[in-house]
Amino acid sequence: MADLFPIIASRILPRLGQSPGLDGGVRTWFLRGSYIGGIDPITGNVVLSNVHMSELVEYFAFDFERFCLSSLESFYVSKSDFDSNGFISWPLLKLYYSAFFSAHAIMRATGCAIVKIEREQIDAINMMVQTTTGTSPRLKPGMFRCTLREVMPGQNELVISSPSDGVGVHDAFWKTFCDYLDEIAETAVQNGSPDASQFVAGISNLSPKLRGWLSARRNDINYQQLFGVWYPLSCGRKIKNYVSLVGKIKSKSVNINMDTTKTIECFIRVSQFMACLNVDIGDYVCARSSATRAFGSRWKRFPNF
């Protein structure tokens, strides 16, 4: 698999992990943060400008940390289950959730978030926009994509927009995540990044497996009990092969081979790639996180890791 990590690492928020995250994450920032509200005249999206990066990063850090650690825990428990009892249905589903949490962590680490904004936060945003512009955006509670954007050096804004459509929460999330990867790729190409071609090749391979496919197979396993992975197993002779595919938790994401046409093997490899990419990012942030109660102290304490 092409290495996605260098481009992602280059976009990780400054000072992420260097201070403890602030409780509540981005949703709390809407209530306590410093910003000016506005509306984009072309898209109609709400734009929160005059954002103080050092302040917002600490709220993003809270969300990054909970998703990054949740992905690691899910990966570890999935791997332990694969190794211990000979059943594979729940280990497969836990491995999927490691991938799902990983994608959330990647977005938070690089300044983007899919957030369920509740009534309290919506009222605060609407009031700020109305105070600034004299008009109300009339946002309603729901799921939103919040994207940090640098307008010019030292000047940042947070754009609140609708996420991609999907047939369910997970399907919509993966489509939004893939759209975000496409945006990262476009920026890398425009900036002439030396790792751009590798990143483009990587997401060209990864995105079709994430955009609709992965969550649909999760549903097949979880709700339809397909592929013979539930007891009594009809794939019993393949269990050892599936267990060996999961490999080591500390495997680098670039070492995961996703070239297979077999459904369950592909499901494992795609989920494992995302889980390992989360480990790559966690290690990177941990290396610069030494403050008490900051991310690094929790990452290093993970049992048997």
Side-chain angles (χ1 to χ4, degrees):
M1 177 64 187
D3 195 357
L4 304 189
F5 175 71
I7 290 291
I8 292 174
S10 71
R11 295 177 61 93
I12 289 177
L13 295 173
R15 296 185 55 79
L16 182 71
Q18 294 184 18
S19 302
L22 295 178
D23 288 350
V26 176
R27 294 201 302 177
T28 299
W29 179 80
F30 290 132
L31 302 175
R32 301 178 184 173
S34 301
Y35 55 84
I36 296 175
I39 301 176
D40 187 305
I42 298 175
T43 64
N45 292 329
V46 169
V47 179
L48 307 181
S49 57
N50 282 22
V51 170
H52 299 287
M53 177 68 82
S54 59
E55 175 189 73
L56 182 57
V57 166
E58 293 187 352
Y59 287 99
F60 263 93
F62 175 86
D63 290 332
F64 162 74
E65 181 173 314
R66 65 187 177 92
F67 281 118
C68 190
L69 293 175
S70 296
S71 175
L72 178 62
E73 179 182 337
S74 300
F75 193 13
Y76 178 81
V77 173
S78 172
K79 178 69 170 67
S80 298
D81 287 353
F82 268 116
D83 291 342
S84 65
N85 56 30
F87 297 113
I88 63 171
S89 53
W90 281 111
L92 285 172
L93 294 170
K94 292 171 185 176
L95 187 60
Y96 167 84
Y97 274 97
S98 181
F100 182 71
F101 294 144
S102 169
H104 275 285
I106 290 167
M107 294 183 77
R108 294 307 205 285
T110 54
C112 188
I114 303 301
V115 183
K116 184 179 182 182
I117 306 181
E118 307 283 3
R119 169 57 62 189
E120 184 180 16
Q121 291 86 24
I122 287 291
D123 288 346
I125 295 168
N126 283 342
M127 181 178 296
M128 177 60 74
V129 173
Q130 187 166 20
T131 299
T132 305
T133 66
T135 60
S136 173
R138 300 175 188 264
L139 289 179
K140 297 180 180 179
M143 300 298 294
F144 292 91
R145 172 178 166 175
C146 302
T147 308
L148 186 62
R149 185 168 65 188
E150 186 178 55
V151 181
M152 60 181 65
Q155 185 174 339
N156 303 281
E157 59 188 22
L158 191 73
V159 180
I160 301 177
S161 59
S162 298
S164 302
D165 292 330
V167 296
V169 173
H170 283 241
D171 182 58
F173 170 76
W174 285 116
K175 288 179 179 178
T176 303
F177 178 70
C178 290
D179 289 344
Y180 182 57
L181 293 181
D182 288 342
E183 294 167 16
I184 292 176
E186 182 178 357
T187 300
V189 171
Q190 291 174 349
N191 292 342
S193 169
D195 298 304
S197 59
Q198 182 174 225
F199 189 84
V200 171
I203 66 171
S204 296
N205 186 15
L206 179 66
S207 289
K209 300 177 177 70
L210 295 180
R211 194 187 292 271
W213 187 88
L214 191 66
S215 62
R217 300 295 77 76
R218 190 272 305 218
N219 290 342
D220 289 341
I221 294 169
N222 197 22
Y223 302 120
Q224 303 300 324
Q225 288 77 47
L226 298 182
F227 310 118
V229 298
W230 291 86
Y231 181 84
L233 298 167
S234 62
C235 63
R237 287 180 295 179
K238 299 179 181 178
I239 289 178
K240 289 184 178 179
N241 183 41
Y242 292 156
V243 170
S244 66
L245 278 177
V246 176
K248 298 179 180 179
I249 290 178
K250 291 292 285 185
S251 298
K252 292 293 184 181
S253 58
V254 68
N255 295 327
I256 307 302
N257 179 4
M258 292 198 295
D259 295 330
T260 180
T261 57
K262 298 177 180 178
T263 300
I264 294 300
E265 288 188 13
C266 187
F267 184 89
I268 290 173
R269 289 175 175 179
V270 172
S271 298
Q272 185 191 14
F273 173 83
M274 291 298 300
C276 288
L277 186 55
N278 178 74
V279 174
D280 291 341
I281 293 168
D283 284 344
Y284 178 86
V285 176
C286 177
R288 65 186 196 182
S289 175
S290 58
T292 303
R293 297 189 303 107
F295 171 77
S297 64
R298 293 179 169 90
W299 186 257
K300 292 173 184 176
R301 290 203 314 268
F302 192 85
N304 302 313
F305 182 50

